[in-house]
Amino acid sequence: MKRMSPYKHHTSPQSPEVGFAMRLGRASHSLPTFNDVVKRNDIFQHYLSQLSNELFNKYYIAKLASRDCIVSRISVTLHEIDALEKMKDFLVESQKQEKEQLAAASEELELFVKEAKALQQQCHIQGMMWCTRMTEDERSEDEKDDSQL
């Protein structure tokens, strides 16, 4: 059973060489390869020699336009690669800065933990009464500040 596809497959226009090779009696419906065209090169050259000068010039202009189109696609691809490389450089530098920020935040956290442990040990050494008094004094200062507002 043939698998259904939501999109039609559009074939690109054939070059005159391929179209001519197709008309030479190939039985299959597949496109000929470059080797098929080369094998029948003498027939194709004979075909080109039968064209009028005007038609031959139009064929030449069409081949030049085709080549220019390929060069243009190559150029676009190179620009896309360049843009991706620059974006990669940006992301790498951004990651370095974020790692530096992480290291600084980790150091600050370690200092905070050390200070908290030191304060906790100091409370145990001087007794819980002193710590309780200290927190009550802090609360009363906060209440004074609130009443002033």
Side-chain angles (χ1 to χ4, degrees):
M1 176 175 235
K2 186 175 179 180
R3 183 176 169 189
M4 297 300 291
S5 174
Y7 303 104
K8 280 187 171 183
H9 175 68
H10 297 284
T11 58
S12 60
Q14 296 176 352
S15 67
E17 296 94 340
V18 173
F20 183 72
M22 291 290 287
R23 288 192 301 268
L24 290 177
R26 288 184 49 97
S28 70
H29 295 290
S30 64
L31 290 175
T33 63
F34 180 73
N35 290 335
D36 294 335
V37 174
V38 170
K39 285 179 188 174
R40 298 174 181 186
N41 188 31
D42 56 337
I43 299 171
F44 182 69
Q45 286 183 358
H46 177 71
Y47 169 76
L48 287 178
S49 68
Q50 301 298 318
L51 295 176
S52 67
N53 283 341
E54 182 182 349
L55 194 56
F56 184 82
N57 286 337
K58 288 188 185 255
Y59 172 73
Y60 177 73
I61 291 169
K63 292 303 283 181
L64 286 176
S66 176
R67 186 203 62 185
D68 290 345
C69 184
I70 293 168
V71 168
S72 176
R73 287 195 309 256
I74 291 170
S75 176
V76 167
T77 303
L78 289 174
H79 286 292
E80 288 174 348
I81 290 170
D82 184 51
L84 289 171
E85 287 174 348
K86 289 178 180 176
M87 182 56 75
K88 178 187 170 196
D89 292 342
F90 164 74
L91 291 172
V92 167
E93 288 300 316
S94 177
Q95 182 186 34
K96 286 179 185 176
Q97 288 182 0
E98 289 172 356
K99 284 182 178 181
E100 290 170 1
Q101 291 174 352
L102 176 63
S106 296
E107 287 177 16
E108 288 176 11
L109 180 62
E110 286 178 24
L111 288 173
F112 176 77
V113 168
K114 286 180 184 178
E115 289 177 14
K117 285 182 180 181
L119 182 62
Q120 187 179 25
Q121 287 177 350
Q122 189 178 13
C123 284
H124 284 322
I125 291 171
Q126 295 188 3
M128 292 305 284
M129 200 66 146
W130 179 79
C131 288
T132 306
R133 246 184 283 131
M134 192 168 116
T135 55
E136 287 174 1
D137 291 342
E138 289 173 356
R139 272 190 237 137
S140 64
E141 286 178 15
D142 287 341
E143 289 172 1
K144 287 180 188 175
D145 290 340
D146 290 340
S147 65
Q148 290 176 357
L149 293 176

